[in-house]
Amino acid sequence: MEKTESQKSSKRTESAFLNFGPSHPSMHGVIRIITELEGERIVGAEVEIGYLHRCFEKACENVGWTQAFPYTDRLNYVSSLLNNVGWAMTAEKLFGVTVPERCQYLRVIVSEISRIVDHLTCIAAAAMELGALTVFLYFMKAREFLYDLIEMLTGARITVSYVRIGGVKADFPPGFEEKLRRALKEIEKIIVEVDKLLTRNRIFIDRTKGIGVLDQQRTIAYGITGPLLRAVGVPYDVRKDKPYLVYDRFDFEIPIADGGDSYSRYLVRMEEMRQSVKIIEQALENIPPGAIAVDLSGREMTGADMVETGKQGKVRDYVGAKAKVDLTLDGTDSHGASNVRLVEHREMTLPSREECYGNIEGLIANFMLVMDNWGIKPPKGEAYHAVEAANGELGFYVVSDGTGKPMRARCRGPCFFPMATLHEMLIGDMVADIIPAFGSINMIAGELDR
Amino acid sequence: MLGELILKTIIIVVVVNTVLAFGGFLTWVERKQSAVMQDRIGANRASILGLRLWGLFHILSDGIKMFAKEEFIPRTDHRKLFLVAPFIAWFFALMGFAVIPFSNTLHVAGYELSLQIANPQIGILFAFAMMGMTIYGLVLGGWASNNNYALLGAMRGAAQMISYEIALAAAVVGPLIVYHTLNMQEIVLWQAKLWGGWLPLWGIVVQPLAFFLFITAGAAGTKRVPFDLPEGESEIIGFNLEYSSMRFGAFMFTDFVEKILVSCLAVTVFLGGWQVPFLTENGFVFRGETLLALSPLVIWLIQPAAFFLKVCVVIYVLMLVRWTLPRFRYDQLMHLGWKIMLPLAFANIVITGFVLLVLKA
């Protein structure tokens, strides 16, 4: 470490150590920063993470492909829909399945809703920690509109588990689109309000401009993506650079700023919310009718059927590949088997309810298919798929050995990378600058520690 | 002599209790006003027998809560200081009210009846001195807490108070040159003048710049957002970090009392004190024409009401600011205090003196 002014002078002074967190109001209870202070200036910082480590990857490797969805909800718990989409698309890439168009639009809409929710939360929390409590509550109000909509659509507010491999859980409920359009109007108004309160606010600019600076070179070197990368003027966005779903059909822009400080990150996030509103509006205009999930046999199916078959656990036949047939089911020549009315592809699809409850063979078939390790089985192979989450590139890398569980699952949590640079951002700033610098990273511990 | 003693005691009791009650009321106002600004409902749950009164009982429930909570005292070498610090702040904040003139003097049966505890010739200096003393409670509390955060908060508090007390005092020098007195009652009496026969010649009219400097420095002196650095709950949690129960309550309450004190000073020096425009000792008079004749007693009663109203307006403005702006950073605060406000205040003094000299000539 370079010697500071007071260290160079003949008078010997000692720097003080101040521990921030994990039990500190702005460390969210999950981060610890040990700072070395000279007066109020930070001369050294050590960031400790891992307080919310839940073995996400190992947990996913121990449950089936569909059962991992609730775990992904808890990655970035503010925008859990985005994580759902990421996981589902990675699994689908492994299967080689393309989901129906309506489903793709639905996924885009929920993704963008989540992005807005995430940015609202980030800016609100950062502003609150700077003392602007009113901004916080304005944005919480805006977020509430969206959480209400998410609840309407998925039945849950935070841990939604809405997306399925091969589709989504449910179509828009009646009146949803109208309500969404109204909510977007409201949110745009609130964004304008907050824009007036903060963007040209002298105090806010003083507090955030030039704080938490990371230059372009370092940002790229650390592999940082998302608003932090765009805030140093690199227009990288997975939605544009490697379009997935139907993002290439929409007219939207990737906002960039230069400066790489808290203020430019704030500006980027504000503009991204406006762009997301634009995307949702276009998607609502163009969303085609049709199925929201692929059928078990690769056919397209409607939402109502999807729910019905989902209850039956018919989750196997997304690829159309034949799964192993258990010996128990193989004995069709056994006594009484002629009485059994088997479905056409009994090894892939579940028997109907009548068959399941009507005879023992059907029941066994049902049981074997819904049992552990007999659910969805992708072919052997590996896949990486990234979506643009609110904090940057959220990637999942999975390896399948052909069984019902991922052999290896790996998550690239976007806010891990900026957190690795936090100590660099802090040195030279003052104690109070920890707040805007840390706030602009939008650290969500669920995603950071996994 | 005895009569005067009883009279003064009564006035002291009235003033202190009014201030304390108003301070308690302000906790409710702050909650409700922020709720209105933030599209919330605000505190409305406390009720007595189902009667809610817009949440007014929260004042009571807060008080009971503060007393009933467990008090935690950290292991510290300065236990006595720790225990006494909140009340030092509280005491000096209340002392400031001794010189605030809440009404005119009424001569009844040989007694001089005035809602002012004491009227020394150096009234305003006394108020500033008491305001400056409140910092002792803060610093002692932060020091005795044996906690780095609290110490940082106390250090910030001390530095901030000193910087802004200077700006505060310098801002008042301009008006004082104009009034030619330090006596609080005389300051108010000066402001009875009308300019051009219709504009009340209040301090804010004579010294607009000084008024804004005073309000800003006053907000800083009372640790209000955007100057609430000694607390800064999201960064260093504050000098009162280790306090709990009623000692914490005393610190919080001191804030409200100080806020009232600053508002009272602002009203006295800049907003005409208890003066009501066009209200003379004969009633409302406009351009020599009596619009409404009033008895001296009624007038004497209107005056404290006007004072109270003006204090409410100032506090309302301070609260609006509090719920609108983010917080400064420590060095920015110092920059504002020493490099912007202090030079402006000095410039104001020089200009005032110059203008007065020219007018005299």
Side-chain angles (χ1 to χ4, degrees):
Chain A
M1 199 178 297
E2 211 171 301
K3 278 197 173 173
T4 51
E5 277 305 309
S6 54
Q7 279 171 339
K8 277 179 201 163
S9 72
S10 55
K11 278 180 201 137
R12 204 181 75 86
T13 57
E14 268 178 48
S15 46
F17 283 90
L18 189 64
N19 178 53
F20 274 82
S23 131
H24 181 281
S26 58
M27 293 296 128
H28 310 196
V30 286
I31 293 290
R32 182 173 179 211
I33 303 175
I34 305 155
T35 54
E36 192 186 346
L37 301 180
E38 250 166 39
E40 287 219 17
R41 203 159 285 283
I42 300 165
V43 292
E46 187 103 6
V47 182
E48 237 183 62
I49 66 167
Y51 287 89
L52 202 64
H53 182 55
R54 318 177 294 294
C55 303
F56 165 76
E57 287 160 10
K58 280 289 163 244
C60 287
E61 287 163 20
N62 281 293
V63 295
W65 292 87
T66 39
Q67 283 151 306
F69 277 109
Y71 291 129
T72 62
D73 283 341
R74 285 150 180 86
L75 280 177
N76 181 342
Y77 36 77
V78 182
S79 53
S80 42
L81 283 158
L82 272 161
N83 313 330
N84 283 181
V85 171
W87 178 260
M89 292 196 71
T90 315
E92 281 156 16
K93 197 170 181 181
L94 205 57
F95 284 104
V97 172
T98 315
V99 293
E101 200 153 281
R102 186 175 176 81
C103 170
Q104 296 199 21
Y105 272 89
L106 281 172
R107 284 181 180 182
V108 167
I109 290 169
V110 296
S111 296
E112 295 310 314
I113 289 177
S114 291
R115 194 181 317 283
I116 298 174
V117 167
D118 206 282
H119 287 348
L120 285 175
T121 313
C122 170
I123 294 172
M128 177 193 64
E129 283 162 2
L130 287 179
L133 191 65
T134 303
V135 169
F136 172 75
L137 284 155
Y138 281 179
F139 265 178
M140 285 299 114
K141 184 179 69 179
R143 195 176 83 156
E144 200 56 27
F145 293 137
L146 292 178
Y147 268 163
D148 280 350
L149 286 163
I150 291 175
E151 189 182 358
M152 201 174 164
L153 180 63
T154 69
R157 288 164 68 85
I158 295 177
T159 49
V160 290
S161 296
Y162 170 69
V163 183
R164 299 278 187 270
I165 297 175
V168 290
K169 180 178 132 197
D171 206 340
F172 288 149
F176 179 85
E177 280 152 293
E178 201 35 55
K179 223 178 147 192
L180 177 56
R181 282 203 178 92
R182 270 210 307 275
L184 291 179
K185 290 254 151 48
E186 284 295 318
I187 286 162
E188 275 188 318
K189 265 188 233 159
I190 296 170
I191 293 174
V192 170
E193 246 174 1
V194 169
D195 200 47
K196 282 180 191 160
L197 273 173
L198 290 184
T199 308
R200 279 192 299 280
N201 183 329
R202 187 74 225 169
I203 301 177
F204 183 74
I205 295 173
D206 281 350
R207 286 304 305 275
T208 52
K209 213 162 199 161
I211 301 303
V213 184
L214 202 63
D215 62 23
Q216 203 183 53
Q217 210 185 344
R218 301 294 288 161
T219 309
I220 295 170
Y222 271 105
I224 294 170
T225 51
L228 270 76
L229 182 63
R230 294 192 277 275
V232 293
V234 183
Y236 173 76
D237 189 310
V238 187
R239 293 174 295 173
K240 278 273 189 213
D241 292 293
K242 212 166 179 302
Y244 55 97
L245 293 173
V246 283
Y247 274 114
D248 47 354
R249 298 185 197 171
F250 302 121
D251 169 37
F252 68 102
E253 273 157 37
I254 305 299
I256 55 166
D258 43 45
D261 51 9
S262 296
Y263 185 66
S264 46
R265 289 166 201 158
Y266 156 81
L267 290 179
V268 165
R269 287 207 171 91
M270 285 295 264
E271 185 54 33
E272 262 182 40
M273 285 195 283
R274 296 199 188 93
Q275 297 296 332
S276 290
V277 169
K278 233 168 102 182
I279 295 173
I280 298 176
E281 274 165 358
Q282 290 172 52
L284 282 176
E285 281 297 307
N286 303 322
I287 186 165
I292 59 160
V294 285
D295 189 4
L296 307 178
S297 53
R299 283 181 292 117
E300 293 186 348
M301 62 196 295
T302 62
D305 289 345
M306 172 77 187
V307 174
E308 184 53 36
T309 48
K311 279 191 231 158
Q312 300 168 14
K314 288 187 182 177
V315 282
R316 290 204 65 186
D317 193 24
Y318 292 135
V319 265
K322 291 208 173 191
K324 268 196 291 180
V325 180
D326 190 76
L327 287 170
T328 332
L329 278 176
D330 228 5
T332 41
D333 54 348
S334 65
H335 175 67
S338 54
N339 294 335
V340 180
R341 285 182 296 111
L342 287 169
V343 288
E344 209 177 330
H345 300 291
R346 57 170 185 173
E347 73 273 23
M348 299 170 201
T349 55
L350 284 172
S352 70
R353 289 282 101 177
E354 293 82 38
E355 265 188 278
C356 176
Y357 295 141
N359 63 64
I360 188 69
E361 300 287 354
L363 183 62
I364 290 168
N366 187 80
F367 177 67
M368 296 307 293
L369 287 173
V370 297
M371 213 175 116
D372 190 23
N373 209 16
W374 286 90
I376 295 173
K377 281 186 191 166
K380 281 184 184 173
E382 55 180 3
Y384 175 80
H385 190 273
V387 293
E388 179 70 24
N391 279 337
E393 183 177 327
L394 171 73
F396 289 101
Y397 171 71
V398 288
V399 182
S400 163
D401 56 359
T403 61
K405 294 171 183 172
M407 194 189 95
R408 180 79 179 96
R410 170 94 183 103
C411 172
R412 183 202 189 278
C415 71
F416 177 75
F417 302 89
M419 275 310 283
T421 64
L422 183 59
H423 66 283
E424 265 184 44
M425 294 183 193
L426 293 180
I427 289 174
D429 288 346
M430 312 214 20
V431 172
D433 294 332
I434 295 177
I435 310 308
F438 183 63
S440 69
I441 289 177
N442 190 21
M443 188 280 314
I444 309 266
E447 176 180 89
L448 173 74
D449 295 339
R450 300 193 286 276
Chain B
M1 183 61 206
L2 186 69
E4 202 165 326
L5 197 68
I6 293 169
L7 198 63
K8 280 293 178 197
T9 314
I10 292 172
I11 291 171
I12 289 170
V13 169
V14 167
V15 168
V16 168
N17 281 303
T18 311
V19 168
L20 291 181
F22 190 51
F25 180 67
L26 279 185
T27 60
W28 177 81
V29 172
E30 179 113 62
R31 285 173 161 194
K32 277 292 180 188
Q33 204 229 3
S34 62
V36 168
M37 281 182 76
Q38 296 166 347
D39 302 343
R40 294 185 288 119
I41 297 169
N44 69 343
R45 289 304 159 109
S47 69
I48 292 177
L49 300 174
L51 190 68
R52 285 186 171 174
L53 280 184
W54 313 282
L56 267 172
F57 290 128
H58 274 272
I59 303 165
L60 207 61
S61 86
D62 279 350
I64 295 170
K65 181 190 74 181
M66 285 293 185
F67 277 111
K69 278 203 166 178
E70 184 199 345
E71 180 157 21
F72 174 77
I73 296 163
R75 186 178 297 173
T76 161
D77 290 340
H78 307 281
R79 192 183 152 91
K80 277 182 192 144
L81 281 184
F82 181 86
L83 295 180
V84 84
F87 302 106
I88 294 178
W90 193 355
F91 174 76
F92 285 115
L94 276 176
M95 280 294 280
F97 286 94
V99 291
I100 305 288
F102 294 100
S103 78
N104 199 354
T105 317
L106 187 71
H107 298 275
V108 186
Y111 288 118
E112 281 191 357
L113 194 58
S114 165
L115 277 178
Q116 186 182 15
I117 295 169
N119 190 18
Q121 283 306 310
I122 51 148
I124 195 154
L125 291 186
F126 179 82
F128 279 131
M130 289 304 121
M131 254 182 79
M133 290 292 275
T134 59
I135 189 64
Y136 276 88
L138 192 150
V139 172
L140 290 176
W143 176 260
S145 290
N146 188 22
N147 182 311
N148 276 359
Y149 287 107
L151 183 61
L152 268 181
M155 269 162 43
R156 282 182 176 189
Q160 176 178 335
M161 285 292 257
I162 291 166
S163 323
Y164 279 81
E165 290 281 302
I166 292 172
L168 196 70
V172 191
V173 172
L176 291 183
I177 294 174
V178 178
Y179 302 149
H180 236 279
T181 176
L182 293 174
N183 184 307
M184 297 291 262
Q185 196 66 268
E186 281 171 28
I187 287 173
V188 177
L189 287 170
W190 192 93
Q191 295 176 77
K193 289 176 188 167
L194 293 178
W195 186 67
W198 61 275
L199 184 66
L201 214 50
W202 290 354
I204 188 173
V205 178
V206 195
Q207 292 276 331
L209 176 64
F211 174 71
F212 289 109
L213 288 174
F214 185 87
I215 286 288
T216 316
T222 53
K223 310 185 285 291
R224 302 285 295 164
V225 168
F227 307 103
D228 66 335
L229 292 166
E231 274 161 66
E233 73 279 350
S234 60
E235 1 180 306
I236 58 160
I237 302 106
F239 63 93
N240 49 15
L241 170 65
E242 293 284 1
Y243 280 93
S244 50
S245 184
M246 198 55 211
R247 282 181 219 281
F248 175 79
F251 268 132
M252 291 308 282
F253 209 69
T254 308
D255 271 9
F256 283 100
V257 173
E258 272 190 321
K259 193 196 316 174
I260 304 173
L261 180 60
V262 165
S263 305
C264 285
L265 284 174
V267 168
T268 309
V269 181
F270 292 99
L271 297 176
W274 42 259
Q275 300 279 2
V276 181
F278 318 121
L279 182 69
T280 63
E281 57 237 341
N282 302 320
F284 282 101
V285 178
F286 188 65
R287 289 183 191 279
E289 198 179 318
T290 309
L291 298 175
L292 183 67
L294 293 170
S295 75
L297 189 68
V298 173
I299 293 170
W300 188 76
L301 288 175
I302 289 176
Q303 285 162 349
F307 190 92
F308 180 74
L309 196 70
K310 289 173 189 175
V311 168
C312 287
V313 170
V314 175
I315 288 176
Y316 176 76
V317 172
L318 285 176
M319 282 189 180
L320 273 186
V321 174
R322 180 201 181 317
W323 296 109
T324 310
L325 294 177
R327 181 183 307 123
F328 274 108
R329 200 176 61 206
Y330 181 62
D331 58 326
Q332 291 161 352
L333 183 88
M334 289 293 140
H335 181 265
L336 181 72
W338 288 103
K339 293 189 183 163
I340 298 174
M341 287 183 50
L342 198 59
L344 274 179
F346 284 153
N348 189 49
I349 295 170
V350 172
I351 292 166
T352 307
F354 187 71
V355 169
L356 278 186
L357 204 66
V358 168
L359 284 180
K360 223 175 186 180

